[in-house]
Structure formats: C-alpha cells, structure tokens
C-alpha cells in the first residue's frame, strides 16, 4: 500500500485511479469563504472517500447536507452510540471512547446518506452512503484516545478501499541509505541539529551511510533551552560515535539581543534574526558553502506539503529560508532530506531501528524560541483586581479568537479542588471579554490578595527559575506516566508574587491532535499535589496555578 498527502485543492483529475481518499480534519468552518475545500467531483470518481471531522463537514456541505454551529463545542473524550451496522465502524461497542475536537457539526446528512452513530451532543458522529462508498466521521479515529480507532482506519483501507498490506518496513533503511549515497555522491553532509526527533534521525542515517568523517552537525545553544538540554543532545550524539558534532554556545548573544524585550512577537523576531546571523557565520567559518559540502535537513513529509507543518510553520520556516547560505545551497540543489517522504510515526520507527533512545523519540513538540516565550515579563508593577468571579491578574498572554489574536490579562479563580473548576472556567471565558485565560490557584505561599505583578525582564535569574520549575514538572510527569497521555506540557513563569518570591508557575498540560486546537488536560489530584508542593518550595516561587483554558480561546503557549 502506498499513501501520499495532497493539498485539498488538488483537482479530481489529479487523484484519478486512487483506491481511496481521506479528507482530514482542521480548525476551519465550511461557511468561511477562505476555508479549504475539495473538488466535489472526487465524490463521484469511484474512489472510496472518508471524511474526518472537518472532512466530514465538508463532505456534508458539498453534497447537500446541513452543517451548523454546535450549541457548545465538543473537545475531548466522548462516547459513541452506534445506530446501525456499518462496514466502517464494524462492531464497535456501545459507549466506545472516542476523541472529539470540533465546534461545527453535521446537523443533517446529505441525501443518500444514513447516520450510523451519534454522541450525546453530536447528532451525526458517523454517516455513510455505502452505494457511493462515501463515509464520514466527526471523531478522530487517528488519535490514541479513540479506542479501536486504528481498526476503523484499517477497515476503511483494507475492507472498503481494498488496499493490501504489502509494505515491508525492513526494506526502509537500506533504501534510505541508497538514496543518501545517490544524492551525496563524493560530497560531505552538514547539518544544523535541534535536538528534536527529525533532525537527529536524518543525521543518524547520514552518519551510518557515509561514516563519521563525512558528516558534521552543529547545535546552537541559545541559552534559552531547558535544564540539561544541551548535555542531553551532546550525550545522544556522543553515543552515535559522531566525532563531527559540536555545540555553538551563542547564549550571550541571544540573551543580549533579547535584553528587556517584553512583546511576544518582538521576542520571536529577535530570536529568528539571531538564528539567521549565527547560522550564516557557522556556514562561512566552517567553509560549508564550498563545493564538497551539501546541507542535510530533517524535513519530513508534512513539512513539504502546503497545508502541512505546525500552526507556526511560517515562523519556523522563515528564519531558515532567510539564511543566505542555506538559500544558496537550496538554490543549487545541494541538499539531502532523507525523511522527506516520511510521517512522524515512521520517523520514530526508523529512529527505533537505528537504536536511538526512546527518551528522544517520544519527545513532545518544543517551540524554537524555547523558554523565552514561557518566561513572561512586565514593564511595571501592578496590583491584582478583585472581581465577583476571581482575581484579574494583569499579566498579558496571547489567545486566539476566530482568526485574530488577542493579548489580554488572565483571571485566577480559587476552589479546594482545582480540577473541579473546568465548568466554571468555560463559563467565565465565554462571559468575560476582558480576559482570554482562566487559571486555578493550586497552592501559594501567601493569599492572592497579598500578591502583585512585579516589573520584570527576561533575566538569567528568572530563566534559571523557570528551568528548575520545568525540570520538576518533567520529572514528575515522566515518573507518573502523565507525559505519555498528553500532547505537550508548557510550564510558564509569570511575574506574580511578593518581593521575596516574585514569580509564580503556571502548569499548562494540553491534549491535541495537531496543535491547532487543544484541550487543557486534567491531572490526577495526587500528582498535582506532589508537583505543586515541590514547585512552591523553589527559590523565588510564590504560587502554582493550573491553566484551565482550551484552545481556542487560549493558545497552547502563553506567548
Ligand atoms: P500555540 O501557542 O500557537 O502553539 O497554540 C501551537 C503549537 O506551536 C508551537 N509553537 C511554536 N513552535 N516556534 C515554534 O517552533 C514558535 O514560535 C512557536 N510558537 C508556538 C507550540 O509549542 C505548539 O506546539
């Protein structure tokens, strides 16, 4: 079986002869004029079609069904109620756990379709027109939280589309090695590595194929990394037997350039510019632009397609594309991207076969600007404001509202059980327009009425404080297995406290499929208690809070 990802606007003619087509999910609404759409003639092309989430809504919309705004969005776990036998759903048990992430929903299926499952709040959780081989599901079968989700996808591919399981993963590595040899020829390969999965796996493949003498990698230490990160990366590369790996310590330059900057987008801009400057210098100094060198990159398949990448794909790509040396290497086609036809899970499998540590392969996504966008600053001191609902904390964080970005204060609410405050938080965020986030107070050295926001910058001391807090959270969430159940766990430092303890820590664990929408992930009370106890004992930390905001209206990161 062979699969490829194509942009949604691909004409039906460009998909001719395919056994099946899957229309994926996404955060758009079919009624917005700029929303992605597909060529409606694919539904009559003879290929079986499966629409997932937005894909189902689009299918309904284009074929004459009704799509409407749900009364309230449905984010997270739900129970599926099968209504009729279905070749796609097979014999899923009643109450099967599924994962939902949507606001719009299909109100009525198109003519010819029947509804085969629902949930408490979603009348059309799955629909099908077996004669035309068209299927839609509102839930996400592809995420681990949907029980039996992989079986649903397998039934679509093997029973409905008639695909065959004839791909042997054992052939993968020899083929990859051959492709690297073909591209590199006699030339050497140079990499900028990030410590992330993709660039490390790509580097390891080149190293294995060409030998240590022909592969070099530089990791830029921005001084904004997590505790132990540079040593961890050094350790991984040392274990590979890579003599050509080195660390460029640029921390003074990054921190110097950031200085007292407070605005989040300005911080990102400064970091992006500094990456450009440092990478260009490394290329020049190492003579990597000479004819015997080509550039290795960890680009994976979703990065190569227009609609792919992460929410911040533009930001991530721009700095790379702006490095003049990299532009030149790309223009001259002096580039090797061994993983460019692989998906993330396949990259992990290749990494496993190459013997890379699980700790590396299972890492959560981590933003390029690193701790700089998790260490919030304030240009002046401010008191908190008491309201009927809670305390308005004048620390501004970023949110999303429709297509636009908001930058607003957060409200802190109190209760003996922070995890019982989700319903209150959702109600408040819908009602109060002044704020874009709600956080629960978990533990603090003094009562909230004695705390204030203090003037603060991105100092080494505060970065170190955040690093300590992040390390505590990472250790406890790893030991308890919590990190394996969530998508990402930002730990945020905000300048809220007293003169002796000027900062507070906000926990921001989230669940998500792609980072575009996310759900604040609840934590078990015992783990939260243990985490809060350790965090509150850290030097300079006054309070511990838990971000209860989903995305939208909050973003995953605070900045
Ligand atoms: P938000 O905060 O927009 O984040 O909900 C969505 C996903 O993108 C990551 N992120 C970034 N990644 N550079 C990156 O490389 C950035 O500037 C950046 N900002 C956010 C974030 O960690 C999450 O996975």
């Amino acid at each position: 079986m062979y699969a490829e990802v194509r942009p949604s606007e691909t004409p039906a003619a460009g998909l001719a002869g395919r056994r099946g087509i899957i229309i994926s999910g996404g955060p758009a609404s079919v009624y917005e004029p700029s929303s992605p759409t597909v060529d409606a003639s694919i539904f009559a092309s003879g290929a079986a079609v499966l629409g997932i989430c937005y894909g189902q809504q689009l299918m309904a919309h284009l074929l004459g069904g009704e799509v409407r705004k749900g009364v309230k969005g449905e984010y997270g776990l739900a129970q599926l109620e099968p209504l009729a036998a279905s070749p796609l759903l097979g014999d899923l048990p009643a109450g099967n756990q599924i994962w939902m992430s949507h606001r719009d929903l299909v109100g009525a299926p198109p003519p010819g379709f029947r509804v085969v499952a629902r949930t408490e709040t979603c009348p059309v959780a799955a629909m099908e027109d077996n004669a035309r081989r068209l299927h839609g599901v509102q839930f996400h079968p592809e995420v681990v939280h949907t029980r039996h989700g992989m079986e649903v996808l397998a039934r679509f591919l093997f029973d409905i589309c008639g695909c065959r399981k004839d791909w042997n993963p054992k052939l993968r590595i020899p083929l990859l090695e051959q492709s690297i040899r073909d591209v590199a020829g006699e030339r050497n390969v140079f990499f900028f590595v990030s410590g992330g999965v993709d660039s490390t796996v790509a580097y390891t493949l080149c190293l294995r194929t060409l030998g240590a003498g022909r592969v070099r990698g530089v990791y830029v230490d921005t001084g904004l990394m997590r505790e132990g990160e540079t040593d961890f990366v050094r350790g991984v590369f040392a274990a590979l037997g890579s003599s050509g790996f080195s660390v460029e310590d640029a921390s003074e330059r990054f921190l110097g350039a950031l200085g007292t900057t407070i605005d989040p987008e300005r911080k990102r801009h400064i970091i992006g510019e500094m990456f450009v400057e440092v990478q260009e210098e490394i290329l020049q100094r190492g003579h990597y632009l000479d004819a015997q060198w080509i550039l290795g990159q960890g680009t994976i398949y979703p990065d190569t397609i227009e609609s792919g990448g992460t929410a911040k794909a533009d930001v991530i790509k721009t700095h790379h594309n702006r490095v003049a040396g990299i532009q030149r290497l790309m223009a001259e086609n002096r580039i090797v991207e061994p993983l460019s036809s692989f998906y993330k899970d396949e990259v992990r499998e290749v990494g496993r076969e190459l013997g890379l540590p699980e700790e590396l392969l299972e890492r959560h996504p981590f933003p390029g600007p690193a701790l700089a966008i998790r260490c919030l600053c304030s240009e002046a001191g401010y008191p908190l404001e008491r309201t009927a609902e809670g305390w308005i904390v004048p620390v501004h964080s970023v949110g999303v509202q429709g297509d636009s970005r908001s930058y607003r204060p957060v409200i802190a609410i109190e209760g003996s059980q922070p995890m019982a405050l989700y319903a209150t938080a959702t109600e408040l965020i819908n009602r109060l327009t002044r704020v874009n986030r709600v956080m629960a107070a978990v533990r603090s050295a003094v009562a909230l009425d004695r705390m204030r926001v203090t003037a603060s910058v991105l100092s080494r001391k505060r970065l170190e404080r955040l690093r300590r807090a992040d390390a505590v959270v990472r250790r406890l969430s790893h030991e308890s297995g919590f990190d394996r159940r969530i998508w990402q766990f930002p730990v945020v430092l905000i300048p809220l406290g007293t003169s002796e303890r000027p900062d507070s820590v906000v926990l921001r664990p989230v669940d998500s499929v792609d980072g575009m929408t996310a759900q604040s992930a609840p934590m078990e009370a015992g783990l939260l208690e243990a985490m809060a106890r350790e965090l509150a004992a850290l030097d300079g930390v006054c309070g511990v809070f838990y971000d209860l905001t989903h995305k939208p209206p909050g973003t995953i990161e605070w900045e």
Side-chain angles (χ1 to χ4, degrees):
M1 192 190 108
Y2 172 78
E4 55 186 44
V5 176
R6 302 292 292 267
S8 60
E9 58 272 19
T10 306
L15 299 169
R18 303 297 189 274
R19 284 175 185 270
I21 297 168
I22 296 179
I23 309 173
S24 71
S29 174
V30 292
Y31 293 114
E32 287 156 16
S34 56
S35 295
T37 188
V38 295
D39 178 346
S41 40
I42 62 170
F43 301 120
S45 68
V49 183
L50 170 63
I52 296 177
C53 187
Y54 177 75
Q56 163 169 282
Q57 293 162 15
L58 192 57
M59 186 185 255
H61 179 63
L62 295 173
L63 293 173
E66 181 222 0
V67 179
R68 58 176 158 85
K69 286 248 167 295
V71 181
K72 52 182 181 144
E74 196 177 20
Y75 300 100
L77 295 178
Q79 293 189 342
L80 193 72
E81 291 175 36
L83 298 173
S86 145
L88 182 71
L89 301 183
D91 48 7
L92 286 186
N96 187 58
Q97 175 182 305
I98 54 171
W99 207 84
M100 292 285 218
S101 179
H102 66 106
R103 187 165 285 271
D104 289 2
L105 48 78
V106 176
F113 276 75
R114 61 188 189 136
V115 180
V116 288
R118 49 167 286 136
T119 71
E120 202 182 339
T121 50
C122 176
V124 185
M127 61 178 198
E128 65 190 23
D129 178 340
N130 289 323
R132 288 190 283 172
R133 302 205 301 151
L134 305 178
H135 304 262
V137 289
Q138 183 57 57
F139 62 92
H140 287 271
E142 74 280 16
V143 305
V144 287
H145 305 288
T146 292
R147 225 171 268 154
H148 307 295
M150 283 302 143
E151 292 159 37
V152 171
L153 292 176
R155 270 191 290 273
F156 178 70
L157 296 173
F158 306 117
D159 300 348
I160 297 172
C161 300
C163 297
R164 284 190 312 277
K165 280 191 204 174
D166 51 5
W167 167 242
N168 180 357
K170 290 268 172 270
L171 297 174
R172 235 177 349 212
I173 291 184
L175 286 174
L176 281 167
E177 290 179 342
Q178 189 53 48
S179 76
I180 293 169
R181 269 192 291 273
D182 290 346
V183 177
E186 296 299 309
R187 297 174 298 182
N188 302 328
V189 183
F190 172 80
F191 273 87
F192 284 114
V193 293
S194 67
V197 182
D198 307 337
S199 63
T200 311
V201 172
Y203 182 94
T204 311
L205 281 165
C206 288
L207 190 67
R208 199 176 132 129
T209 311
L210 305 174
R214 292 180 57 194
V215 183
R216 288 219 195 129
V218 174
Y219 165 88
V220 176
D221 181 353
T222 59
L224 300 165
M225 309 312 290
R226 300 171 133 183
E227 186 172 292
E229 176 69 13
T230 302
D231 287 341
F232 173 77
V233 176
R234 227 191 275 274
V236 168
F237 284 85
L240 291 173
S242 167
S243 50
F245 171 77
S246 62
V247 173
E248 174 86 9
D249 182 359
S251 51
E252 295 291 339
R253 296 173 68 177
F254 276 89
L255 294 178
L258 281 163
T260 56
T261 310
I262 287 173
D263 178 71
E265 284 313 308
R266 189 78 210 121
K267 282 183 184 171
R268 280 198 175 77
H269 180 76
I270 292 171
I271 293 168
E273 289 296 315
M274 190 51 78
F275 263 117
V276 170
E277 198 178 303
V278 172
Q279 292 186 334
E280 187 66 39
E281 272 178 34
I282 293 170
L283 289 171
Q284 300 284 350
R285 200 187 326 131
H287 304 288
Y288 297 120
L289 300 173
D290 294 358
Q292 74 270 29
W293 287 96
I294 61 173
L295 181 75
Q297 296 211 113
T299 316
I300 67 170
Y301 195 25
D303 302 331
T304 65
I305 40 174
E306 204 181 17
S307 55
T310 74
K312 292 287 156 41
D314 292 347
V315 181
I316 298 163
K317 283 180 194 145
T318 42
H319 85 253
H320 253 105
N321 293 346
R322 279 169 39 243
V323 179
I326 294 183
Q327 271 176 351
R328 196 174 121 196
L329 290 164
M330 288 172 127
E332 293 171 5
N333 214 9
R334 285 162 57 195
I335 190 152
V336 58
E337 295 176 315
L339 300 171
S340 62
S341 62
F342 282 63
Y343 297 95
K344 194 85 183 182
D345 56 328
E346 295 175 299
V347 174
R348 290 204 175 97
E349 281 170 34
V350 171
R352 239 166 240 133
E353 281 179 58
L354 294 170
L356 289 169
E358 209 52 34
E359 201 185 343
L360 172 93
L361 299 174
E362 290 302 335
R363 297 189 115 189
H364 288 163
F366 189 70
L371 300 184
I373 56 166
R374 294 182 179 173
C375 185
L376 275 68
C377 308
S378 177
E379 75 282 357
Y382 300 103
L384 307 194
E385 179 192 333
R386 176 170 230 149
T387 66
E389 294 86 5
W391 293 88
I392 305 281
V393 180
V395 168
H396 286 61
S397 79
V398 175
V400 268
Q401 236 131 21
D403 276 344
S404 54
R405 173 179 181 275
S406 64
Y407 192 48
R408 293 193 192 144
V410 50
I411 183 165
I413 57 176
E414 296 170 283
S416 56
Q417 298 285 335
M419 293 302 109
L421 295 174
Y422 272 106
T424 312
T426 305
E427 190 273 321
L428 288 181
I429 206 73
N430 290 334
R431 183 157 57 85
L432 306 176
T433 48
R434 294 172 64 185
V435 296
N436 60 6
R437 259 175 222 277
V438 183
M439 61 183 191
V442 179
R443 191 183 179 108
S444 58
V446 299
L448 273 160
D449 59 358
R450 291 187 44 211
M451 290 193 202
R452 50 184 283 118
V453 171
T454 46
S456 45
V457 296
L458 202 59
S459 61
R460 280 173 192 276
K461 193 167 175 184
R462 294 188 72 232
L463 276 170
E464 190 49 36
R465 193 170 283 152
L466 172 55
R467 227 171 249 136
R468 292 256 158 82
D470 179 69
V472 167
V473 171
R474 271 203 293 164
R475 173 169 45 78
L476 293 178
S477 47
H478 185 68
E479 283 169 9
S480 61
F482 183 68
D483 61 354
R484 289 186 283 287
R485 299 199 295 273
I486 55 173
W487 157 270
Q488 216 179 350
F489 197 160
V491 176
V492 183
L493 194 76
I494 58 172
L496 171 66
T498 58
S499 46
E500 298 79 46
R501 296 169 165 269
D503 284 311
S504 286
V505 173
V506 185
L507 302 173
R508 176 65 172 144
V510 291
D511 215 336
S512 175
V513 184
D514 53 11
M516 305 286 273
T517 57
Q519 199 200 14
S520 164
M523 185 184 280
E524 182 228 316
L527 176 61
L528 178 57
E529 171 59 29
M531 212 174 257
R533 203 178 321 117
E534 267 201 57
L535 290 169
L538 292 178
D539 185 43
V541 172
C542 186
V544 178
F545 295 84
Y546 204 93
D547 189 341
L548 302 172
T549 327
H550 304 311
K551 174 184 178 179
T555 43
I556 294 179
E557 305 290 348
W558 270 46
E559 288 196 335

